[in-house]
Amino acid sequence: MSVLIYAESAKGKFKKTSFELASYAKKLASSLNEQVVAVVFGEANPTELGTYGVDKVVQVQGEGVGVFQAKSYAQALVEVAKKESASVIILPTTTDAQYLAGLVAVGVSGGFVSNVVEQPASLNPFQVKRTSFSNKAFATVEVSSEVKVLTLSKNSFGIIESPSSPTVESFAFASDNQGVKIVSSESASGKVTIADAEIVVSGGRGLKGPENWGMIEDLAQVLGAATACSKPVSDMGWRPHGEHVGQTGKPVACNLYIAIGISGAIQHIAGINSSKVKLVINTDPEAPFFKVADYGIVGDAFEVVPQFIEKLKAFKAQNS
């Protein structure tokens, strides 16, 4: 028996979520007295997963393996899960994985729980805690199926080292485009991505125009953060749609979310509510965002942010 994880990678490197999944799976597998098996698509170094307790890595190989195809990837995961007698299958809460999770659950006839935030409260019966109502509440869900499929909410468990020496096994990938043709693919490079960022600096209409986005980027650079924006900003073409965060954009569950010039529409707040600490900078003390913020600064972003940047630079210089 095993606890199986889908270890996502990009450009030959594992995503941070893969290490968190491995850490979570290791603790769960120890409770179940099972081994941790990671399924890897692509050329990422499988031994890296051993740092976080993975016992076996199944590296899927074959033509087309580097191009994400939900149905083909799901079929491969299902076949490996059956071969490894997986009792629990865990995927990250990422865009690709959310396509996969439902397909995998159907393939293994398993119960599916999304947005899991803790280790199971009980193993028999199997009960796990998840977020619900756009992260406004929690629910404890009982799964009675033989195989359980979970997606783990980002930054909910953390990364814990538990060194092991995993065995590595190849699995033949039979690519099937399932009627889908990929014309082109573009990805951002040279900066921290929203998906992997510990800190996200986000701007809204309060920035008044794309020409003022430099201070958002400057603050992000000092903090080693990703840049993001509200929906109106991307709709107006100030920033690319790939930076739009919120319920209708990319969900964010970072350690620190800084909202600058964003009033806080309900859809935006719902999409970033899983972030651990929220800092808001806005001229309007009645802005809805202040009601959910951990820290708030009522002031003009054009005055506050440059001072913030200078203070951070001075702090880093003193502690370097």
Coordinates of all heavy atoms in Angstrom, one line a residue, residues 2 4-5 7 14 35-47 49 54-62 65 76-85 165-173:
S2 N 0.3 2.3 -0.5 CA 1.1 3.6 -0.6 C 0.3 4.8 -0.6 O -0.9 4.8 -0.8 CB 2.0 3.6 -1.9 OG 1.1 3.7 -3.0
L4 N 0.3 8.2 -2.6 CA 0.8 8.6 -3.9 C 0.6 10.1 -4.1 O -0.4 10.7 -3.8 CB 0.2 7.8 -5.0 CG 0.8 8.1 -6.4 CD1 0.8 6.7 -7.2 CD2 -0.1 9.1 -7.2
I5 N 1.7 10.8 -4.6 CA 1.6 12.3 -4.8 C 1.9 12.5 -6.3 O 2.7 11.8 -6.9 CB 2.5 13.1 -3.9 CG1 4.0 12.8 -4.2 CG2 2.2 12.9 -2.5 CD1 4.9 13.8 -3.5
A7 N 3.8 15.0 -8.3 CA 4.9 16.0 -8.0 C 5.1 16.9 -9.3 O 5.7 16.5 -10.3 CB 6.2 15.3 -7.7
F14 N 11.4 21.0 -9.7 CA 10.1 20.8 -9.0 C 9.6 22.1 -8.5 O 10.4 23.0 -8.0 CB 10.4 19.8 -7.8 CG 10.5 18.4 -8.2 CD1 11.8 17.8 -8.1 CD2 9.5 17.7 -8.8 CE1 12.0 16.5 -8.5 CE2 9.7 16.3 -9.2 CZ 10.9 15.7 -9.0
Q35 N 4.3 3.4 2.3 CA 5.4 4.2 1.7 C 4.8 5.3 0.9 O 3.6 5.3 0.5 CB 6.2 3.3 0.8 CG 5.6 2.7 -0.4 CD 6.5 2.0 -1.4 OE1 7.7 2.1 -1.2 NE2 6.0 1.4 -2.4
V36 N 5.7 6.3 0.6 CA 5.3 7.5 -0.2 C 5.9 7.2 -1.6 O 7.1 7.0 -1.8 CB 5.9 8.8 0.4 CG1 5.5 9.9 -0.5 CG2 5.4 9.0 1.8
V37 N 5.0 7.3 -2.6 CA 5.3 7.2 -4.0 C 5.0 8.5 -4.7 O 3.9 9.0 -4.6 CB 4.6 6.0 -4.7 CG1 4.9 6.0 -6.2 CG2 4.9 4.7 -4.0
A38 N 6.0 9.1 -5.4 CA 5.8 10.3 -6.2 C 5.8 10.0 -7.7 O 6.6 9.3 -8.2 CB 6.9 11.3 -5.9
V39 N 4.8 10.6 -8.4 CA 4.7 10.4 -9.8 C 5.2 11.7 -10.4 O 4.7 12.8 -10.1 CB 3.3 10.1 -10.3 CG1 3.3 10.0 -11.8 CG2 2.8 8.9 -9.6
V40 N 6.2 11.6 -11.3 CA 6.9 12.8 -11.9 C 6.8 12.7 -13.4 O 7.1 11.7 -14.0 CB 8.4 12.8 -11.5 CG1 9.1 14.0 -12.1 CG2 8.5 12.9 -10.0
F41 N 6.3 13.8 -14.0 CA 6.3 13.9 -15.5 C 7.4 14.9 -15.9 O 7.4 16.0 -15.4 CB 4.9 14.5 -15.9 CG 3.8 13.6 -15.7 CD1 3.2 13.5 -14.5 CD2 3.3 12.8 -16.7 CE1 2.1 12.6 -14.2 CE2 2.2 12.0 -16.5 CZ 1.6 11.9 -15.3
G42 N 8.3 14.4 -16.7 CA 9.4 15.3 -17.1 C 10.7 14.9 -16.6 O 10.9 13.8 -16.1
E43 N 11.7 15.9 -16.7 CA 13.1 15.6 -16.4 C 13.6 16.1 -15.1 O 14.8 16.3 -14.9 CB 13.9 16.1 -17.6 CG 13.6 15.5 -18.9 CD 13.7 14.0 -19.0 OE1 14.7 13.5 -18.3 OE2 12.9 13.3 -19.6
A44 N 12.7 16.5 -14.2 CA 13.2 17.0 -12.9 C 14.0 15.9 -12.2 O 13.7 14.7 -12.3 CB 12.0 17.4 -12.0
N45 N 15.0 16.3 -11.4 CA 15.8 15.3 -10.6 C 15.0 14.6 -9.6 O 14.6 15.2 -8.6 CB 17.0 16.0 -10.0 CG 17.9 15.1 -9.3 OD1 17.8 13.9 -9.3 ND2 18.9 15.6 -8.7
P46 N 14.7 13.3 -9.8 CA 13.8 12.6 -8.8 C 14.4 12.5 -7.4 O 13.6 12.4 -6.4 CB 13.6 11.2 -9.5 CG 14.8 11.0 -10.3 CD 15.2 12.4 -10.8
T47 N 15.7 12.4 -7.3 CA 16.3 12.2 -6.0 C 16.0 13.4 -5.0 O 16.1 13.3 -3.8 CB 17.8 12.0 -6.1 OG1 18.4 13.1 -6.7 CG2 18.1 10.7 -6.9
L49 N 13.3 14.7 -4.3 CA 12.1 14.4 -3.4 C 12.5 13.6 -2.2 O 11.7 13.5 -1.2 CB 11.1 13.7 -4.3 CG 10.5 14.5 -5.4 CD1 9.6 13.6 -6.3 CD2 9.7 15.7 -4.9
V54 N 10.1 11.0 0.4 CA 9.6 10.1 -0.7 C 10.4 8.8 -0.8 O 11.6 8.8 -0.8 CB 9.6 10.8 -2.1 CG1 9.2 9.8 -3.2 CG2 8.6 12.0 -2.0
D55 N 9.7 7.6 -0.8 CA 10.4 6.3 -0.8 C 10.6 5.8 -2.2 O 11.6 5.1 -2.5 CB 9.6 5.3 0.0 CG 9.4 5.7 1.4 OD1 10.4 5.8 2.2 OD2 8.2 6.0 1.8
K56 N 9.7 6.2 -3.1 CA 9.9 5.7 -4.5 C 9.4 6.8 -5.5 O 8.4 7.5 -5.2 CB 9.0 4.5 -4.7 CG 9.1 3.8 -6.0 CD 8.2 2.5 -6.1 CE 8.3 1.9 -7.5 NZ 7.5 0.6 -7.5
V57 N 10.1 7.0 -6.6 CA 9.7 7.9 -7.6 C 9.4 7.2 -8.9 O 10.3 6.4 -9.4 CB 10.8 9.0 -7.8 CG1 10.5 9.9 -9.0 CG2 11.1 9.8 -6.6
V58 N 8.3 7.4 -9.4 CA 7.9 6.8 -10.7 C 8.0 8.0 -11.7 O 7.2 8.9 -11.7 CB 6.5 6.2 -10.7 CG1 6.1 5.7 -12.1 CG2 6.4 5.1 -9.7
Q59 N 9.0 7.9 -12.6 CA 9.2 8.9 -13.6 C 8.6 8.6 -14.9 O 9.0 7.6 -15.6 CB 10.7 9.2 -13.7 CG 11.1 10.5 -14.4 CD 12.5 10.9 -14.1 OE1 13.4 10.1 -13.8 NE2 12.7 12.2 -14.1
V60 N 7.5 9.3 -15.2 CA 6.8 9.1 -16.5 C 7.6 9.6 -17.7 O 8.0 10.8 -17.7 CB 5.4 9.7 -16.4 CG1 4.6 9.4 -17.7 CG2 4.6 9.2 -15.2
Q61 N 7.8 8.8 -18.6 CA 8.6 9.2 -19.8 C 7.9 8.8 -21.1 O 7.1 7.9 -21.1 CB 10.0 8.5 -19.7 CG 10.8 8.9 -18.5 CD 12.2 8.2 -18.4 OE1 12.3 7.1 -18.8 NE2 13.1 8.8 -17.8
G62 N 8.3 9.5 -22.1 CA 7.7 9.2 -23.4 C 7.5 10.5 -24.2 O 7.6 11.6 -23.7
V65 N 5.5 14.0 -23.1 CA 5.4 14.0 -21.6 C 5.5 15.4 -21.1 O 5.0 15.8 -20.0 CB 6.4 13.1 -21.0 CG1 7.8 13.6 -21.0 CG2 5.9 12.8 -19.5
A76 N -2.3 8.2 -16.8 CA -1.0 7.7 -16.3 C -1.0 7.6 -14.7 O -0.6 6.6 -14.1 CB 0.1 8.6 -16.7
L77 N -1.6 8.6 -14.1 CA -1.7 8.6 -12.6 C -2.5 7.5 -12.1 O -2.2 6.8 -11.1 CB -2.2 10.0 -12.1 CG -1.3 11.2 -12.1 CD1 -2.0 12.5 -11.9 CD2 -0.2 11.0 -11.0
V78 N -3.6 7.2 -12.8 CA -4.5 6.2 -12.4 C -3.8 4.8 -12.5 O -3.9 4.0 -11.6 CB -5.8 6.2 -13.2 CG1 -6.6 4.9 -13.0 CG2 -6.7 7.4 -12.9
E79 N -3.1 4.6 -13.6 CA -2.4 3.3 -13.8 C -1.3 3.1 -12.8 O -1.2 2.0 -12.2 CB -1.8 3.3 -15.2 CG -2.9 3.2 -16.3 CD -2.2 3.1 -17.7 OE1 -1.0 2.8 -17.8 OE2 -2.9 3.4 -18.7
V80 N -0.6 4.2 -12.5 CA 0.5 4.1 -11.4 C -0.2 3.8 -10.1 O 0.3 3.0 -9.3 CB 1.4 5.3 -11.4 CG1 2.4 5.2 -10.3 CG2 2.1 5.5 -12.7
A81 N -1.2 4.5 -9.8 CA -1.9 4.4 -8.5 C -2.4 2.9 -8.3 O -2.2 2.4 -7.2 CB -3.1 5.3 -8.4
K82 N -2.9 2.3 -9.3 CA -3.4 0.9 -9.2 C -2.2 0.0 -9.0 O -2.2 -0.9 -8.2 CB -4.2 0.6 -10.4 CG -5.6 1.3 -10.5 CD -6.3 0.9 -11.8 CE -7.7 1.6 -11.8 NZ -8.5 1.3 -13.0
K83 N -1.1 0.3 -9.8 CA 0.1 -0.6 -9.7 C 0.7 -0.5 -8.3 O 1.2 -1.5 -7.8 CB 1.1 -0.1 -10.8 CG 2.4 -0.9 -10.8 CD 3.2 -0.4 -12.0 CE 4.6 -1.1 -12.0 NZ 5.4 -0.7 -10.8
E84 N 0.7 0.7 -7.7 CA 1.3 0.9 -6.4 C 0.4 0.7 -5.3 O 0.7 1.0 -4.1 CB 1.9 2.3 -6.4 CG 3.0 2.6 -7.4 CD 4.2 1.7 -7.2 OE1 4.5 1.3 -6.0 OE2 4.9 1.4 -8.2
S85 N -0.9 0.3 -5.6 CA -1.9 0.0 -4.5 C -2.0 1.3 -3.6 O -2.0 1.2 -2.4 CB -1.5 -1.2 -3.7 OG -1.4 -2.4 -4.5
S165 N 16.3 7.7 0.7 CA 17.0 7.4 -0.5 C 16.0 6.7 -1.4 O 15.9 5.4 -1.4 CB 18.2 6.5 -0.3 OG 19.1 7.1 0.6
P166 N 15.2 7.4 -2.2 CA 14.1 6.8 -3.0 C 14.6 6.0 -4.2 O 15.7 6.3 -4.8 CB 13.4 8.0 -3.5 CG 14.4 9.1 -3.6 CD 15.3 8.9 -2.4
T167 N 13.9 4.9 -4.5 CA 14.2 4.1 -5.7 C 13.5 4.9 -6.8 O 12.5 5.6 -6.6 CB 13.6 2.7 -5.6 OG1 12.2 2.8 -5.3 CG2 14.3 2.0 -4.4
V168 N 14.0 4.7 -8.0 CA 13.5 5.4 -9.2 C 13.1 4.4 -10.2 O 13.9 3.5 -10.6 CB 14.5 6.4 -9.8 CG1 13.9 7.1 -11.0 CG2 15.0 7.4 -8.7
E169 N 11.9 4.5 -10.7 CA 11.4 3.6 -11.7 C 10.8 4.3 -12.9 O 10.1 5.4 -12.7 CB 10.3 2.7 -11.0 CG 9.7 1.6 -11.9 CD 8.7 0.8 -11.1 OE1 9.1 0.1 -10.2 OE2 7.5 0.9 -11.5
S170 N 10.9 3.8 -14.1 CA 10.4 4.5 -15.3 C 9.0 3.9 -15.6 O 8.7 2.8 -15.3 CB 11.3 4.3 -16.5 OG 12.5 5.0 -16.3
F171 N 8.2 4.8 -16.2 CA 6.8 4.4 -16.6 C 6.6 4.9 -18.0 O 6.7 6.1 -18.2 CB 5.8 4.9 -15.6 CG 4.3 4.6 -16.0 CD1 3.8 3.3 -15.6 CD2 3.6 5.5 -16.7 CE1 2.5 3.0 -16.0 CE2 2.2 5.1 -17.0 CZ 1.7 3.9 -16.7
A172 N 6.2 4.1 -18.9 CA 6.0 4.5 -20.3 C 4.8 5.3 -20.4 O 3.7 4.9 -20.0 CB 5.9 3.3 -21.2
F173 N 4.9 6.5 -21.1 CA 3.8 7.4 -21.3 C 3.2 7.3 -22.7 O 4.0 7.4 -23.7 CB 4.3 8.9 -21.0 CG 3.3 9.9 -21.3 CD1 2.3 10.2 -20.4 CD2 3.4 10.7 -22.4 CE1 1.4 11.2 -20.6 CE2 2.4 11.7 -22.7 CZ 1.5 12.0 -21.7

